[in-house]
């Protein structure tokens, strides 16, 4: 055996692999250096470079950045009513989108994990990921057309006599607007559409890991389907829900394209960042605003952790 | 005695496979009943039919003389110990055991008290605050048992409950289970592929093959009077002798003995020239393999007519005497002969 191995591989190569095999720590280090370099410098490093900017402020008169550490920009973010308004609006939308995604994804994920045949399951996976193969911008603009005043949706609702309902909904303060395409409701629909796959996939994965016998044991011990759902299925789906909601929550907090293409004129955090670092040239304010989603997600994660969402990991 | 479980011509198919094929069965109340068979013989499907996880395609299942065929599991007074234990990973041991009471809306204090009582019964009360993944396999098994018993079911179903345990633990649990059953007086229905386990624990055993019950008998009855070649081979691995060899050995009585079985431990190995009495059957062959089992050795003997027979003997008798390639004679008393029905005949009953 060793003779054939020696013949198949040059000696220096065998010595090198023996060297690595006998030094697992060195081997792991070798494995991790390239990704750590990328993660450390390019990924985290640039993030910190951005965050560092938030501790500077802009000179009101010259519009130049003053490179002296200060908390003035942060104060600006959390004290100006207009800024708080933006944060509140974005946060509410993120929470609403996350709840809606969870509500829609859960039945689909349960079906995929429990009831679908393998053929059906494959069909669902393709169907759910299919929209992700397309350009994000194309989808957003397509939705704008669907939701427009003379668009497909209003035409469809009109033809089945539901146009009154649509008008009534659009009259509602807060969510309504002149048309679906320029209302928070329309924006909400587009957000839910965009992020739904990110909720379904981790949720279905979490539910698929739950052995069938747990559900049978629950029924066997006298639990009705509703009780099995609340006591067994849902608690075991929580890690998937947590993973999915991190996606939907953070993606909504950071997005600036959907709010600027679809929906009401109110600003969102992402749009604010885009505008401040671009047209307004106020990089410190943009950086300070980009800290807001990070803080919100950290709060969300600590709440989820306290609720035991990661106990099963 | 009353009947705890009855199967009336129950059939269950998966696609083209008849997993359970017209099974008729009565299990008495308070009985320790084993369903024995190789994998795919339909024994586990029968258990799942009793629990209510599967519905039969035809036939009826009765619990205490009430038809339950259409009832979901949570309406049946039956609890199950699962093969993988199926403990809820997000609950503590105590919560797992109390689950059956919790879903029945028993008060919290009562849940706690009775769950601790059940845990004490399986000697795990100290483990109450732990999570299932912090327990060993044997402990998980006992938690699963306590959880299934807390609702005081009429029938306890056990699906290969000892399969995942190591030998020593398995033997301990066999004794513990048997004691528990005697103490509680609950009907136990026990599914296993291990004939030793079934023989040592059960009051009665149903031997399954290809979705049918081959034989239903007491352990001693199964071992000493197997009906079919399948049962003779599966329970205790008897030698099945049929065809021309059976004709020749049975001699004059051949017409009513188309096939018979002889247990390995009833076969005597002897020198070829050794003469024998008239009430024995004998044949000759060559040893092809010897397996040492400690207390006894098993000798595989190839007869001159081609059949392979197994003889077992205490190690001291033939020690160093019989080796591979030794020519030997095999003999057994006519009392040791267990006549078998033809397979076709048994299938029609």
């Amino acid at each position: 055996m060793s003779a054939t191995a020696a013949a198949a591989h040059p000696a220096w190569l065998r010595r090198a692999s023996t060297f690595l095999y006998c030094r697992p720590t060195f081997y792991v280090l070798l494995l991790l250096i390239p990704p750590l370099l990328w993660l450390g410098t390019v990924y985290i490093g640039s993030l910190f470079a951005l965050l560092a900017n938030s501790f500077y402020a802009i000179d009101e008169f010259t519009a130049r950045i003053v490179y002296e550490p200060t908390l003035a920009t942060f104060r600006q973010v959390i004290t100006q009513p207009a800024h708080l308004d933006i944060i509140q609006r974005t946060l509410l939308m993120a929470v609403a989108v996350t709840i809606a995604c969870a509500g829609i994804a859960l039945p689909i994920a349960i079906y995929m994990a429990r009831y679908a045949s393998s053929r059906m399951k494959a069909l669902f996976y393709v169907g759910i990921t299919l929209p992700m193969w397309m350009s994000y911008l194309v989808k957003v603009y397509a939705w704008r057309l669907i939701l427009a005043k003379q668009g497909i949706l209003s035409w469809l609702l009109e033809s089945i006599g539901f146009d009154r309902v649509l008008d009534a909904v659009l009259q509602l303060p807060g969510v309504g607007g002149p048309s679906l395409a320029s209302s928070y409701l329309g924006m909400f629909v587009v957000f839910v559409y965009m992020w739904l796959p990110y909720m379904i996939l981790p949720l279905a994965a979490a539910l698929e890991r739950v052995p069938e016998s747990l559900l049978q044991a629950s029924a066997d011990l006298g639990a009705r389907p509703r009780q099995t759902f609340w006591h067994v299925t849902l608690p075991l789906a929580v890690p998937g829900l947590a993973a999915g909601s991190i996606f939907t929550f953070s993606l909504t907090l950071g997005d600036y394209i959907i709010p600027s293409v679809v929906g009401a004129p109110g600003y969102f955090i992402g749009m604010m960042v885009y505008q401040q670092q671009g047209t307004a040239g106020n990089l410190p304010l943009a950086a300070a605003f980009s800290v807001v989603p990070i803080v919100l997600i950290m709060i969300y994660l600590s709440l989820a952790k306290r609720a035991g969402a990661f106990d099963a990991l | 005695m009353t009947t705890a479980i009855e199967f009336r011509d129950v059939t269950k198919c998966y696609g083209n496979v008849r997993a359970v094929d017209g099974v008729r069965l009565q299990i008495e109340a308070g009985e320790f009943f084993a369903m024995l068979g190789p994998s795919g013989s339909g024994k586990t499907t029968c258990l799942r039919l009793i629990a209510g996880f599967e519905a039969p395609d035809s036939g009826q299942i009765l619990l205490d003389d009430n038809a339950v065929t259409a009832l979901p599991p949570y309406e049946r007074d039956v609890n199950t110990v699962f093969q993988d234990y199926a403990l809820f990973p997000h609950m503590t041991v105590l919560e797992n055991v109390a689950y059956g009471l919790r879903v029945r809306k028993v008060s919290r204090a009562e849940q706690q008290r009775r769950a601790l009582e059940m845990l004490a019964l399986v000697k795990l009360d100290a483990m109450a605050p732990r999570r299932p993944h912090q327990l060993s396999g044997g402990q998980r098994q006992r938690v699963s048992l306590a959880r299934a018993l807390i609702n005081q079911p009429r029938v306890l179903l056990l699906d290969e409950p000892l399969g995942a345990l190591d030998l020593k633990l398995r033997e301990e649990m066999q004794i513990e289970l048997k004691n528990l059953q005697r103490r509680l007086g609950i009907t136990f229905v026990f599914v296993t592929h291990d004939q030793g386990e079934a023989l040592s624990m059960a009051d009665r055993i149903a031997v399954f093959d290809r979705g049918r019950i081959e034989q239903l008998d007491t352990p001693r009855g199964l071992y000493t009077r197997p009906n079919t070649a399948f049962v003779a081979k599966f329970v205790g691995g008897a030698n099945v002798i049929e065809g021309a060899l059976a004709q020749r050995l049975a001699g004059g009585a051949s017409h009513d003995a188309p096939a018979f079985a002889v247990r390995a431990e009833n076969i005597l190995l002897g020198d070829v020239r050794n003469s024998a009495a008239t009430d024995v059957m004998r044949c000759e062959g060559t040893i092809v393999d010897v397996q040492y089992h400690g207390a006894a050795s098993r000798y595989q003997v190839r007869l001159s007519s081609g059949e392979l027979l197994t003889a077992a003997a205490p190690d001291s008798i033939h020690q160093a005497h019989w080796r591979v390639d030794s020519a030997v004679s095999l003999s057994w008393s006519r009392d040791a002969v267990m006549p078998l029905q033809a397979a076709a005949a048994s299938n029609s009953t």
Side-chain angles (χ1 to χ4, degrees):
Chain A
M1 286 307 279
S2 63
T4 53
H9 303 285
W12 66 271
L13 203 59
R14 285 199 300 134
R15 263 203 302 280
S17 46
T18 310
F19 179 82
L20 284 179
Y21 188 87
C22 297
R23 288 164 190 79
T25 321
F26 183 74
Y27 179 62
V28 167
L29 224 64
L30 212 62
L31 197 71
L32 280 181
I33 284 170
L36 277 182
L37 277 178
W38 175 263
L39 194 71
T41 55
V42 180
Y43 210 79
I44 307 274
S46 59
L47 183 68
F48 275 99
L50 170 74
L51 293 184
N53 268 300
S54 64
F55 291 99
Y56 303 135
I58 197 159
D59 189 303
E60 297 284 334
F61 297 105
T62 59
R64 289 253 170 83
I65 298 169
V66 183
Y67 292 103
E68 276 168 27
T70 168
L71 289 173
T73 315
F74 279 113
R75 204 173 301 127
Q76 213 183 337
V77 169
I78 56 170
T79 52
Q80 282 191 13
H83 291 166
L84 280 178
D85 222 36
I86 292 170
I87 294 170
Q88 188 196 16
R89 185 179 300 127
T90 313
L91 183 63
L92 273 178
M93 180 61 83
V95 170
V97 167
T98 299
I99 292 172
C101 280
I104 297 170
L106 194 58
I108 296 177
I110 289 176
Y111 171 78
M112 286 166 67
R114 287 272 158 254
Y115 302 103
S117 63
S118 57
R119 236 181 103 90
M120 206 56 180
K121 200 184 284 181
L123 211 69
F124 262 78
Y125 271 110
V126 171
I128 287 160
T129 49
L130 190 68
M132 295 160 87
W133 305 352
M134 282 180 262
S135 159
Y136 174 83
L137 275 174
V138 169
K139 285 185 289 182
V140 178
Y141 277 101
W143 268 102
R144 191 188 156 103
L145 290 180
I146 293 170
L147 298 173
K149 198 156 189 72
Q150 300 299 320
I152 301 166
L153 197 66
S154 64
W155 168 79
L156 194 72
L157 288 173
E158 200 173 343
S159 62
I160 56 169
F162 272 63
D163 48 336
R164 291 248 176 83
V165 179
L166 179 64
D167 286 342
V169 170
L170 288 178
Q171 295 294 318
L172 290 174
V175 297
S179 75
L180 269 177
S182 49
S183 70
Y184 287 121
L185 183 64
M187 194 194 295
F188 168 78
V189 169
V190 178
F191 267 129
V192 170
Y193 167 83
M194 285 294 186
W195 311 145
L196 191 58
Y198 298 96
M199 181 64 93
I200 294 177
L201 296 179
L203 201 52
L207 285 170
E208 261 176 57
R209 279 202 302 270
V210 177
E212 181 90 35
S213 63
L214 289 188
L215 307 181
Q216 287 173 346
S218 172
D220 186 72
L221 291 163
R224 284 156 195 290
R226 190 172 44 83
Q227 290 174 308
T228 299
F229 176 78
W230 286 111
H231 297 322
V232 181
T233 309
L234 199 58
L236 292 174
V238 162
L241 276 174
S245 64
I246 290 165
F247 286 126
T248 58
F249 191 69
S250 59
L251 285 170
T252 312
L253 283 182
D255 196 80
Y256 71 99
I257 292 178
I258 293 172
S260 49
V261 175
V262 184
Y267 263 68
F268 278 66
I269 291 175
M271 296 160 80
M272 196 64 187
V273 173
Y274 179 66
Q275 197 206 37
Q276 290 303 323
Q277 65 87 31
T279 45
N282 190 344
L283 197 57
L285 188 59
F289 254 104
S290 65
V291 172
V292 175
I294 296 174
V295 172
L296 288 177
I297 288 164
M298 273 157 72
I299 292 171
Y300 176 74
L301 284 180
S302 65
L303 287 179
K305 184 170 163 50
R306 190 171 301 176
F310 308 114
D311 287 2
L313 293 182
Chain B
M1 269 211 184
T2 52
T3 306
I5 300 167
E6 185 175 351
F7 274 50
R8 287 190 185 154
D9 300 312
V10 173
T11 296
K12 172 74 188 173
C13 301
Y14 295 110
N16 291 328
V17 183
R18 280 174 174 260
V20 175
D21 191 1
V23 165
R24 259 183 245 176
L25 175 66
Q26 288 193 338
I27 299 173
E28 308 297 333
E31 194 173 20
F32 199 127
F33 191 89
M35 293 181 172
L36 175 66
S39 55
S41 61
K43 56 191 194 307
T44 298
T45 308
C46 275
L47 197 80
R48 295 169 63 80
L49 285 165
I50 301 172
F53 306 139
E54 308 277 354
D57 295 330
S58 65
Q60 275 217 312
I61 296 166
L62 293 89
L63 294 178
D64 288 327
D65 298 324
N66 301 315
V68 296
T69 318
L71 288 186
Y74 47 89
E75 307 258 351
R76 299 187 188 199
D77 196 7
V78 163
N79 286 125
T80 309
V81 175
F82 289 82
Q83 186 169 15
D84 62 352
Y85 315 139
L87 297 177
F88 304 123
H90 58 296
M91 298 183 195
T92 63
V93 166
L94 189 73
E95 286 168 339
N96 262 285
V97 176
Y99 188 79
L101 300 175
R102 181 177 169 199
V103 297
R104 280 182 171 74
K105 311 243 160 64
V106 174
S107 76
R108 231 161 225 291
E110 173 85 358
Q111 280 180 35
Q112 186 109 1
R113 189 182 62 76
R114 280 174 59 191
L116 278 172
E117 225 173 76
M118 285 318 299
L119 279 173
L121 185 73
V122 295
K123 298 179 209 100
L124 279 178
D125 30 346
M127 301 290 165
R130 301 240 184 133
R131 293 272 170 146
H133 67 86
Q134 295 169 304
L135 303 185
S136 71
Q139 289 171 330
R140 273 181 232 180
Q141 218 264 313
R142 299 220 294 268
V143 173
S144 161
L145 194 62
R147 186 180 69 173
L149 286 170
I150 200 159
N151 284 333
Q152 297 165 330
R154 303 266 302 147
V155 176
L156 185 72
L157 306 175
L158 302 110
D159 184 8
E160 306 250 5
L162 310 180
L165 306 181
D166 59 52
L167 185 64
K168 188 172 172 322
L169 207 53
R170 197 152 64 213
E171 284 168 352
E172 280 172 22
M173 276 309 291
Q174 284 180 13
I175 295 167
E176 212 167 308
L177 272 179
K178 186 74 192 162
N179 285 338
L180 201 63
Q181 194 262 343
R182 219 173 281 140
R183 204 146 29 117
L184 300 171
I186 295 175
T187 312
F188 274 35
V189 179
F190 187 97
V191 159
T192 181
H193 63 268
D194 182 338
Q195 47 101 14
E197 212 165 85
L199 288 178
S200 64
M201 296 169 78
D203 296 321
R204 285 198 305 157
I205 300 171
V207 181
F208 279 78
D209 184 36
R210 283 169 295 170
R212 290 165 175 273
I213 294 181
E214 281 278 302
Q215 189 172 352
L216 201 168
D217 211 332
T218 59
R220 180 161 287 116
L222 273 186
Y223 196 77
T224 55
R225 294 182 305 276
N227 278 344
T228 64
F230 176 80
V231 175
K233 282 182 198 158
F234 195 74
V235 180
N239 294 294
V240 171
I241 297 166
E242 38 197 355
L245 181 65
Q247 294 272 344
R248 184 161 61 76
L249 288 169
S254 67
H255 48 87
D256 50 43
F260 59 86
V262 184
R263 299 237 168 255
E265 64 267 26
N266 292 332
I267 297 182
L268 274 174
L269 285 178
D271 281 325
V272 174
R273 280 155 296 174
N274 204 357
S275 70
T278 49
D279 60 341
V280 298
M281 293 180 178
R282 52 182 296 132
C283 50
E284 280 155 22
T286 314
I287 294 178
V288 292
D289 193 24
V290 181
Q291 297 155 326
Y292 179 66
H293 284 278
S297 290
R298 292 175 80 83
Y299 300 86
Q300 309 279 336
V301 180
R302 172 82 60 196
L303 302 188
S304 41
S305 47
E307 290 89 349
L308 199 62
L309 295 187
T310 305
D315 197 47
S316 55
I317 295 182
H318 301 296
Q319 196 178 18
H321 191 80
W322 303 113
R323 300 237 167 91
V324 171
D325 290 336
S326 301
V328 288
S329 87
L330 303 168
S331 61
W332 57 87
S333 145
R334 280 184 193 273
D335 296 341
V337 169
M338 305 181 287
L340 302 173
Q341 294 166 14
S346 75
N347 275 359
S348 64
T349 52

